[in-house]
Amino acid sequence: MTKTYGTLRVLNGIDLDIADGEYLTLVGPSGCGKSTTLRIIAGLETQTTGDVEIDGRVVNEVRPSRRDLAMVFQSYALYPHLTVRQNLVTPLQLRDMNFWQRIPLLGYLAPGRRAKMSKIEDDMRWAAETLKIEPLLHRKPGQLSGGQRQRVALGRAMVRNPAAFLMDEPLSNLDAALRVHMRAELSELHRALGATFVYVTHDQAEALTMSDRMAVMMDGDILQLGPPDEVYEDPRDIRVAEFIGSPKMNILPGHGDSAGRITALGVAVEEALAEPSEGPLSVGFRPEHLHIQPEDTGACFSGRLTYKENLGSDVFLHLAVEGIEVKAVIRAKPHEADFAEVGEDVWFSGEAGKARVFGADGKRVALTEPQLQRKTG
């Protein structure tokens, strides 16, 4: 599937299969095309080329209201003049009741209205109980907190019992603590409903904690698609490696030789190239895979400590390292970082088997099993 606006190409060719009941997250920086992809699935945008299929049926010409999808927006999109109860039942009344049954007062006399309203009331109560918003049914959106409005927006989607839920950054308007709480609630809701969730976010923490699979998008392409653990541990592109993870992966300039040996900043790395070739490389270590050393062991990196970020259970050490512009970050336990003071030089090394090596084109390079290499340079 592609999408262009005039000469601007937003999607370069997206191929994506989403399983029934799956929680799939589209994650990437602003402008990468993830929201456009979601809106095309919903029918709110039309793709330039390609097809959208739901349950094996091409729905390119099917109106959004007929695709049996429920959209949850960043802005919640609740009717401000209606109560929570009315916000929940209105979509069902529009879908299930005919014109005569919806007419105020006279509609009560229309045949079949009572049975439909009873079913709508049951569906509304089920959604309210599931989301624990029963005490809010008589309030209006302006009387609710951000988290409560988010639950109401989810409830309005749930009552329709759609084929899939499409969520466009639904937690971005919430404060940090409430976002963490709502992440857990959304995951529990997904398990309880067994429904398909397609979730768009720029927050990689949301993608890592909630998804069955995540698709990392940049510049209109899906760079990598897979389970969160796989994407985090085995990034196939240097852009994925740097985007997924907080703090991001440390990238050190390196070099490979014709014997397959790898060095980073002149220090030998314990991995070797599976297909030896000489040339520049980028060597990546996650912050938790760099370890402070009390002294220079002959196979260590060094940097000047510029900032200690104390998070209670962990301390992030920010180091100015000669040869790289961005500061390196080490994740350590408080007792491991006690001796390090801001302004001092710190020795550190990479954990064996944890280096991720990328070629000049930014793609992952295959390595052999770790084997001790002697220091060079």
Side-chain angles (χ1 to χ4, degrees):
M1 183 175 68
T2 66
K3 177 64 177 178
T4 58
Y5 295 100
T7 58
L8 177 63
R9 194 175 183 90
V10 179
L11 297 177
N12 297 321
I14 300 298
D15 291 307
L16 187 61
D17 289 312
I18 304 169
D20 185 31
E22 183 177 25
Y23 199 135
L24 178 84
T25 300
L26 304 176
V27 61
S30 297
C32 69
K34 56 189 185 297
S35 290
T36 301
T37 301
L38 196 74
R39 291 174 65 83
I40 290 174
I41 295 172
L44 302 176
E45 299 268 4
T46 303
Q47 67 270 27
T48 304
T49 64
D51 296 317
V52 176
E53 294 184 9
I54 299 176
D55 198 21
R57 180 171 66 103
V58 176
V59 296
N60 296 343
E61 306 301 324
V62 178
R63 292 187 301 169
S65 60
R66 298 295 181 184
R67 293 194 181 191
D68 194 23
L69 303 173
M71 191 98 172
V72 180
F73 296 93
Q74 176 181 349
S75 61
Y76 314 132
L78 301 174
Y79 299 113
H81 62 292
L82 300 181
T83 64
V84 169
R85 180 189 177 280
Q86 291 168 329
N87 267 282
L88 295 179
V89 302
T90 297
L92 297 181
Q93 289 175 326
L94 293 172
R95 184 190 69 180
D96 298 339
M97 298 172 68
N98 60 38
F99 172 78
W100 300 107
Q101 291 168 337
R102 295 199 303 266
I103 294 177
L105 299 179
L106 292 177
Y108 288 93
L109 303 176
R113 184 185 190 280
R114 179 173 295 182
K116 289 183 179 180
M117 277 305 301
S118 178
K119 176 65 166 59
I120 289 172
E121 189 72 16
D122 289 342
D123 291 341
M124 183 274 296
R125 290 290 175 186
W126 166 77
E129 289 175 8
T130 303
L131 295 169
K132 299 179 177 62
I133 57 174
E134 292 173 288
L136 310 177
L137 290 177
H138 299 293
R139 297 190 195 178
K140 291 185 177 180
Q143 299 170 309
L144 306 178
S145 68
Q148 290 170 335
R149 286 197 293 268
Q150 183 62 73
R151 286 191 184 91
V152 175
L154 286 169
R156 193 177 60 179
M158 282 173 55
V159 292
R160 296 175 50 199
N161 192 25
F165 292 82
L166 309 181
M167 303 186 184
D168 191 3
E169 306 210 31
L171 307 184
S172 60
N173 288 336
L174 305 180
D175 61 61
L178 191 53
R179 279 203 305 272
V180 173
H181 176 71
M182 287 302 298
R183 288 206 304 253
E185 289 212 350
L186 279 174
S187 296
E188 291 175 9
L189 180 64
H190 174 254
R191 286 193 294 271
L193 297 177
T196 305
F197 280 25
V198 185
Y199 189 99
V200 161
T201 183
H202 66 274
D203 185 343
Q204 45 91 18
E206 292 181 9
L208 287 169
T209 55
M210 298 193 296
S211 315
D212 294 325
R213 286 192 305 160
M214 56 191 290
V216 183
M217 295 186 66
M218 289 189 188
D219 301 323
D221 292 307
I222 294 179
L223 299 183
Q224 188 165 348
L225 173 66
D229 288 348
E230 177 185 301
V231 174
Y232 183 82
E233 292 290 342
D234 192 27
R236 311 310 301 170
D237 189 288
I238 194 169
R239 292 173 290 173
V240 175
E242 291 190 286
F243 185 77
I244 299 299
S246 181
K248 69 178 186 178
M249 180 179 282
N250 299 289
I251 302 296
L252 310 177
H255 189 271
D257 65 18
S258 56
R261 293 185 293 262
I262 303 169
T263 58
L265 294 175
V267 177
V269 176
E270 295 193 1
E271 290 81 1
L273 297 174
E275 298 181 3
S277 63
E278 189 162 352
L281 300 169
S282 295
V283 181
F285 286 99
R286 294 285 183 196
E288 62 269 26
H289 297 148
L290 292 177
H291 304 292
I292 301 173
Q293 301 296 336
E295 59 184 15
D296 184 7
T297 63
C300 289
F301 308 105
S302 67
R304 178 152 297 181
L305 183 61
T306 62
Y307 178 54
K308 292 177 72 171
E309 189 177 1
N310 190 348
L311 300 180
S313 60
D314 294 297
V315 177
F316 292 134
L317 304 177
H318 298 250
L319 304 171
V321 179
E322 186 176 353
I324 61 174
E325 295 182 2
V326 179
K327 289 182 172 60
V329 179
I330 300 174
R331 183 174 187 168
K333 295 299 180 183
H335 69 274
E336 297 171 336
D338 281 345
F339 74 92
E341 299 294 337
V342 172
E344 294 181 347
D345 288 335
V346 174
W347 300 98
F348 62 98
S349 61
E351 185 175 334
K354 297 300 184 179
R356 300 294 181 260
V357 181
F358 304 89
D361 60 355
K363 304 300 181 183
R364 268 285 292 282
V365 175
L367 305 177
T368 63
E369 291 297 319
Q371 56 185 29
L372 186 62
Q373 303 284 337
R374 59 184 177 82
K375 180 180 177 182
T376 61

